[in-house]
Amino acid sequence: MQEILKSRVFAFVAGIVFIVLDQAVKILCLTHLKTNSFRAGGDFLSFDIELHHNPGAFLSLGASLPPQLKQLIFIAGVSIVICWATYWAFSHWYKSIKHALPIYFIALGGASNLIDRIFRDGHVVDYMILSIGPIHTGVFNIADIAITVGAIALAIDIFAKQRTTSKTSE
């Protein structure tokens, strides 16, 4: 029982550190990228840093929704999902870490972006764009990376389970 508690405390503290780091980087971007942007890399592979205020979700989805509906979805709804995901992750920490950790990553990324929405007039601070040749990502931040890593880990697990299930049924 002591080991489980230590592990959960470590995860909680690491989560707080993650959120503080993400918010610190966003504050740096807000103060230093208002008129500046820069590019690292070359013609084929580059990494752009420029300030964007995202009023929507992933790739600005929902940005044109009425303000009250956006608050309901992006603040109230996301708050509920974050609370549920954090509770689920901690209650399954030792039973299934390979599921709990990705869910926790998603919750942490969501929590940090939620802080933006609450304190930055409903917007999330985004600042990174990755380009590979003619292909480039949308604008994202560190919290988005945590959400994406968590979602990819869950998707890989689901895909692996489906392959295992289909092989055993043949």
Side-chain angles (χ1 to χ4, degrees), residues 124-146:
V124 172
V125 175
D126 288 333
Y127 48 86
M128 294 186 268
I129 304 169
L130 177 64
S131 299
I132 303 171
I135 301 168
H136 62 87
T137 64
V139 187
F140 61 97
N141 59 44
I142 296 170
D144 296 335
I145 294 170

Side-chain angles (χ1 to χ4, degrees), residues 4-22 86 90 93 101 104-105 108:
I4 294 171
L5 181 61
K6 284 182 185 179
S7 177
R8 287 179 180 158
V9 168
F10 174 78
F12 180 77
V13 171
I16 297 298
V17 169
F18 170 82
I19 290 171
V20 168
L21 173 68
D22 182 57
T86 303
F90 279 109
W93 201 256
L101 197 55
Y104 191 49
F105 277 19
L108 289 173

Side-chain angles (χ1 to χ4, degrees), residues 1-39:
M1 188 66 177
Q2 185 79 4
E3 189 176 316
I4 294 171
L5 181 61
K6 284 182 185 179
S7 177
R8 287 179 180 158
V9 168
F10 174 78
F12 180 77
V13 171
I16 297 298
V17 169
F18 170 82
I19 290 171
V20 168
L21 173 68
D22 182 57
Q23 288 298 312
V25 171
K26 289 174 179 178
I27 289 167
L28 284 171
C29 290
L30 286 167
T31 56
H32 296 293
L33 293 177
K34 286 183 181 183
T35 57
N36 302 320
S37 65
F38 63 90
R39 170 174 278 191

Side-chain angles (χ1 to χ4, degrees), residues 34-54:
K34 286 183 181 183
T35 57
N36 302 320
S37 65
F38 63 90
R39 170 174 278 191
D43 291 333
F44 181 73
L45 178 65
S46 65
F47 192 70
D48 295 307
I49 304 292
E50 58 185 54
L51 182 62
H52 291 268
H53 299 275
N54 184 354

Side-chain angles (χ1 to χ4, degrees), residues 31-170:
T31 56
H32 296 293
L33 293 177
K34 286 183 181 183
T35 57
N36 302 320
S37 65
F38 63 90
R39 170 174 278 191
D43 291 333
F44 181 73
L45 178 65
S46 65
F47 192 70
D48 295 307
I49 304 292
E50 58 185 54
L51 182 62
H52 291 268
H53 299 275
N54 184 354
F58 175 72
L59 298 175
S60 294
L61 292 173
S64 62
L65 291 172
Q68 295 84 0
L69 184 56
K70 280 189 350 186
Q71 284 185 336
L72 181 66
I73 294 169
F74 296 141
I75 294 178
V78 169
S79 295
I80 291 166
V81 170
I82 290 167
C83 289
W84 171 84
T86 303
Y87 169 79
W88 191 94
F90 279 109
S91 66
H92 289 78
W93 201 256
Y94 260 89
K95 296 177 212 169
S96 179
I97 190 72
K98 85 175 189 179
H99 294 114
L101 197 55
I103 295 287
Y104 191 49
F105 277 19
I106 292 168
L108 289 173
S112 193
N113 283 341
L114 179 63
I115 290 168
D116 282 10
R117 289 199 191 283
I118 292 169
F119 293 104
R120 296 190 177 100
D121 198 28
H123 294 90
V124 172
V125 175
D126 288 333
Y127 48 86
M128 294 186 268
I129 304 169
L130 177 64
S131 299
I132 303 171
I135 301 168
H136 62 87
T137 64
V139 187
F140 61 97
N141 59 44
I142 296 170
D144 296 335
I145 294 170
I147 294 167
T148 302
V149 167
I152 289 170
L154 289 175
I156 289 170
D157 184 58
I158 290 168
F159 180 72
K161 276 185 184 174
Q162 287 177 344
R163 289 192 66 197
T164 303
T165 304
S166 67
K167 283 184 181 180
T168 57
S169 64
E170 291 176 358

